[in-house]
């Protein structure tokens, strides 16, 4: 199975749970053994790849600015490309520029996805039941990707993916292991850094830097002190 095989399922769920005049958003980045898989919540109409006119890749955060502040702060995007993103208005992103950005994501060996792929008009909260419809599909993404570590953003996403109640404030720098189809994956939960969570972005940056050093430099076991 390939990632593209899941897209028709995401599109069906968009019709059920998303805005009718928008397309679902899939994922993007290094598709084979990425160092990190970042899991966000769900896309909104700010992502211009969700419009019916868009013919390019449908990856997270296309046409947006703020999330790239996070990736720049943890050294996961080229500086010149980051400043080009900051200069562009959302509607100035082209399909070619979106490919350029995600080629850079691949260069830094990470992958970006959402638990829910159903695009909403705005950042309205979704009930757990909607995210649960996507959970097994996300697990299939993990099985295809085989990431070294998975970083989950926010309490709701963390709790659903890990199958237990998670409070990020109590879970910072704590490693969780979960077995999916006989493969054990390593997870960390960090603050959601966008929208209402913007004031927590410094904590997100601190924790991601710590996780990257622990997992990608020191190669520590998943044992919490």
């Amino acid at each position: 199975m390939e990632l593209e095989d899941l897209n028709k399922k995401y599109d069906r769920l968009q019709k059920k749970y998303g805005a009718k005049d928008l397309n679902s958003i899939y994922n993007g980045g290094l598709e084979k053994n990425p160092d990190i898989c970042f899991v966000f919540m769900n896309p909104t109409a700010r992502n211009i790849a969700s419009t019916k006119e868009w013919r390019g890749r449908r990856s997270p955060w296309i046409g947006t600015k703020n999330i790239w502040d996070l990736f720049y702060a943890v050294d996961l995007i080229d500086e010149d490309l980051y400043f080009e993103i900051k200069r562009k208005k959302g509607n100035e992103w082209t399909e070619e520029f979106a490919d350029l950005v995600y080629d850079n994501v691949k260069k830094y060996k990470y992958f970006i996805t959402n638990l829910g792929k159903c695009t909403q008009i705005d950042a309205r909260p979704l009930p757990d039941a909607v995210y649960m419809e996507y959970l097994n599909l996300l697990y299939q993404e993990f099985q295809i990707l085989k990431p070294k570590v998975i970083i989950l953003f926010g309490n709701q996403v963390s709790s659903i993916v890990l199958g237990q109640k998670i409070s990020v404030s109590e879970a910072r720098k704590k490693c969780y292991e979960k077995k999916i189809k006989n493969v054990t994956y390593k997870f960390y939960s960090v603050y959601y850094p966008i929208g209402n969570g913007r004031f927590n972005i410094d904590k997100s940056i601190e924790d991601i830097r710590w996780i990257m050093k622990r997992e990608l430099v020191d190669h520590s076991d998943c044992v919490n002190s």
Side-chain angles (χ1 to χ4, degrees):
M1 179 179 289
E2 302 293 334
L3 288 170
E4 290 77 12
D5 297 328
L6 304 176
N7 292 349
K8 289 183 179 179
K9 297 178 181 179
Y10 294 141
D11 290 341
R12 286 196 293 269
L13 288 171
Q14 174 70 24
K15 294 177 181 178
K16 187 174 182 181
Y17 296 115
K20 305 306 180 188
D21 58 342
L22 297 174
N23 286 324
S24 52
I25 295 296
Y26 307 139
N27 41 50
L30 183 64
E31 297 181 359
K32 184 177 181 182
N33 305 123
D35 286 344
I36 306 172
C37 176
F38 291 101
V39 183
F40 293 90
M41 297 177 72
N42 62 278
T44 73
R46 289 190 61 200
N47 187 324
I48 64 168
S50 66
T51 64
K52 295 298 183 180
E53 296 75 26
W54 184 266
R55 293 294 178 265
R57 63 182 309 122
R58 285 199 251 158
S59 295
W61 306 111
I62 291 175
T64 70
K65 297 178 185 291
N66 291 341
I67 193 59
W68 305 103
D69 295 341
L70 175 75
F71 292 129
Y72 178 65
V74 297
D75 301 319
L76 289 179
I77 189 170
D78 287 347
E79 184 173 63
D80 56 346
L81 181 60
Y82 167 70
F83 285 114
E84 189 171 355
I85 288 172
K86 297 299 286 186
R87 285 192 297 269
K88 282 186 182 294
K89 296 179 181 178
N91 60 8
E92 293 175 340
W93 281 57
T94 63
E95 293 154 5
E96 293 75 17
F97 185 68
D99 285 339
L100 184 66
V101 170
Y102 270 87
D103 284 344
N104 205 248
V105 171
K106 291 179 185 177
K107 171 184 171 181
Y108 285 92
K109 300 181 180 179
Y110 63 104
F111 188 85
I112 306 172
T113 191
N114 290 294
L115 170 54
K117 275 68 174 180
C118 47
T119 309
Q120 306 295 320
I121 293 296
D122 52 26
R124 66 192 63 188
L126 294 178
D128 288 359
V130 172
Y131 286 122
M132 289 298 296
E133 291 280 334
Y134 286 91
L135 185 58
N136 285 331
L137 295 172
L138 182 68
Y139 287 165
Q140 289 179 55
E141 286 188 33
F142 296 159
Q143 293 163 38
I144 295 167
L145 295 169
K146 298 178 175 61
K148 294 177 183 176
V149 64
I150 300 165
I151 294 180
L152 308 170
F153 287 96
N155 296 338
Q156 188 178 21
V157 168
S158 300
S159 298
I160 291 170
V161 173
L162 293 174
Q164 58 182 290
K165 183 66 175 178
I166 300 292
S167 173
V168 173
S169 62
E170 299 173 1
R172 295 182 66 189
K173 302 175 183 175
K174 182 177 180 180
C175 180
Y176 294 86
E177 289 187 337
K178 184 176 180 66
K179 184 174 286 188
I180 302 169
K181 294 288 186 180
N182 298 318
V183 176
T184 299
Y185 298 90
K186 299 170 75 170
F187 295 85
Y188 290 88
S189 179
V190 304
Y191 282 102
Y192 200 86
I194 301 299
N196 292 334
R198 180 74 180 180
F199 63 92
N200 282 320
I201 192 170
D202 288 344
K203 295 176 183 176
S204 303
I205 291 166
E206 176 189 331
D207 289 356
I208 292 170
R209 284 188 172 277
W210 183 91
I211 294 163
M212 290 171 65
K213 182 178 184 301
R214 175 186 174 92
E215 296 294 340
L216 307 179
V217 178
D218 297 340
H219 303 286
S220 301
D221 294 330
C222 192
V223 177
N224 298 294
S225 58

